[in-house]
Amino acid sequence: MTSLDRARDRLVFALDIADPEEALACARSLSGTLTWMKVATTLFTRGGAPLVSQLRQMGFSVFLDLKFHDIPDQVQGACRAAAGLGVGLMTVHASGGRAMLEGAAFGAAQGARDAGCPAPRVLAVTVLTSLDGSDLADIGVERAVEDQVLALARLAQDSGCGGIVASPRELSLLRPALARPFGILTPGIRPLGAAVGDQKRVTTPGDAIRGGADWLVVGRPIRKAPDRAAAATAILEEMAEAEADA
Ligand code: C5P
């Protein structure tokens, strides 16, 4: 496996296009360049399971980013169903608590077994980066944001989740505290010179790899590029180079 192939296993394209046909056309334009597609709530609500199946048929691995948060029984069932679609990564909210997280991991393993496919990783979202300390206080959490992030990450690890979603600025706090194979997936990635958009705190692909991220999620820098495949390849090359010095 070349270093570019290894980078390909770690780069997730955020397929944030609301229309399923347009989303599939975009995915098709990246076939052969990228491996992973992230399907989030807007696209899934429109395109549903058939869209996931079509991406799988095109040969993509799918990250189903639906951030489940409900009673344990519901989340277990949802993760079982997602695993049955053949997705490789999925998300839940760590604040749903231990029983819900354990249910998620159990449901994902069960769904994969039923479908005869490899077990997907359940990733836990700790504190949404749209929340700050005063938002946490509003919902009764008095701890500092970083303390809450670390506490929820540890809870996810103890409960059998496969990793967490974290902002790149949290990598230096989280990576030393959470040994691999527990994984860290990070959005907020901008190659040097790319538009930052609404992302407030960004990191380059190379710095995220050197900081200990296992997967990077990148959307607009690829989606809005005049040549998407070329933009994706440049990011893969930067990741491969960083991996060599990591
Ligand atoms: O277009 P961009 O590269 O900013 O896309 C990043 C992806 O990661 C989007 O799908 C977005 O929902 C997700 N995300 C994020 N920031 C977070 C958490 C998730 O940008 N803090």
Side-chain angles (χ1 to χ4, degrees):
M1 194 188 238
T2 67
S3 58
L4 216 55
D5 290 333
R6 275 198 299 279
R8 209 171 266 123
D9 273 349
R10 302 172 68 181
L11 179 60
V12 182
F13 175 59
L15 191 55
D16 292 330
I17 297 174
D19 177 70
E21 285 310 315
E22 265 181 59
L24 288 169
C26 177
R28 208 168 287 117
S29 73
L30 289 162
S31 165
T33 306
L34 293 180
T35 300
W36 282 96
M37 292 284 140
K38 177 170 93 80
V39 175
T41 44
T42 304
L43 178 58
F44 189 79
T45 303
R46 288 174 183 250
L51 175 109
V52 172
S53 300
Q54 279 168 287
L55 289 171
R56 296 284 298 126
Q57 278 161 21
M58 286 178 181
F60 289 109
S61 299
V62 175
F63 168 19
L64 192 61
D65 185 20
L66 300 182
K67 298 187 181 68
F68 297 130
H69 187 168
D70 204 330
I71 57 168
D73 193 50
Q74 276 296 323
V75 171
Q76 182 175 323
C79 288
R80 183 177 184 176
L85 298 177
V87 311
L89 292 168
M90 64 180 84
T91 44
V92 298
H93 273 284
S95 52
R98 187 180 298 275
M100 190 206 83
L101 295 168
E102 287 173 353
F106 186 82
Q110 199 178 29
R113 227 178 15 251
D114 295 346
C117 49
R121 290 234 216 178
V122 176
L123 304 180
V125 174
T126 58
V127 177
L128 292 171
T129 48
S130 50
L131 303 178
D132 62 15
S134 79
D135 294 308
L136 286 190
D138 284 346
I139 55 170
V141 176
E142 300 297 339
R143 279 201 279 233
V145 173
E146 293 73 34
D147 295 339
Q148 180 71 354
V149 165
L150 190 54
L152 288 174
R154 290 207 162 108
L155 176 66
Q157 189 175 32
D158 282 356
S159 308
C161 290
I164 50 166
V165 179
S167 129
R169 80 198 148 92
E170 291 161 357
L171 282 172
S172 57
L173 164 78
L174 295 171
R175 186 74 280 174
L178 304 163
R180 286 184 167 112
F182 193 70
I184 303 180
L185 174 141
T186 177
I189 303 296
R190 288 294 176 270
L192 286 173
V196 167
D198 59 4
Q199 296 279 12
K200 294 200 178 100
R201 281 169 289 253
V202 297
T203 296
T204 64
D207 283 346
I209 294 290
R210 283 185 287 270
D214 296 281
W215 303 275
L216 315 188
V217 173
V218 179
R220 283 163 291 185
I222 295 174
R223 201 173 72 244
K224 293 191 181 280
D227 180 343
R228 288 174 177 153
T233 302
I235 294 172
L236 289 170
E237 283 166 355
E238 186 180 338
M239 290 169 68
E241 204 171 300
E243 208 188 323
D245 19 277

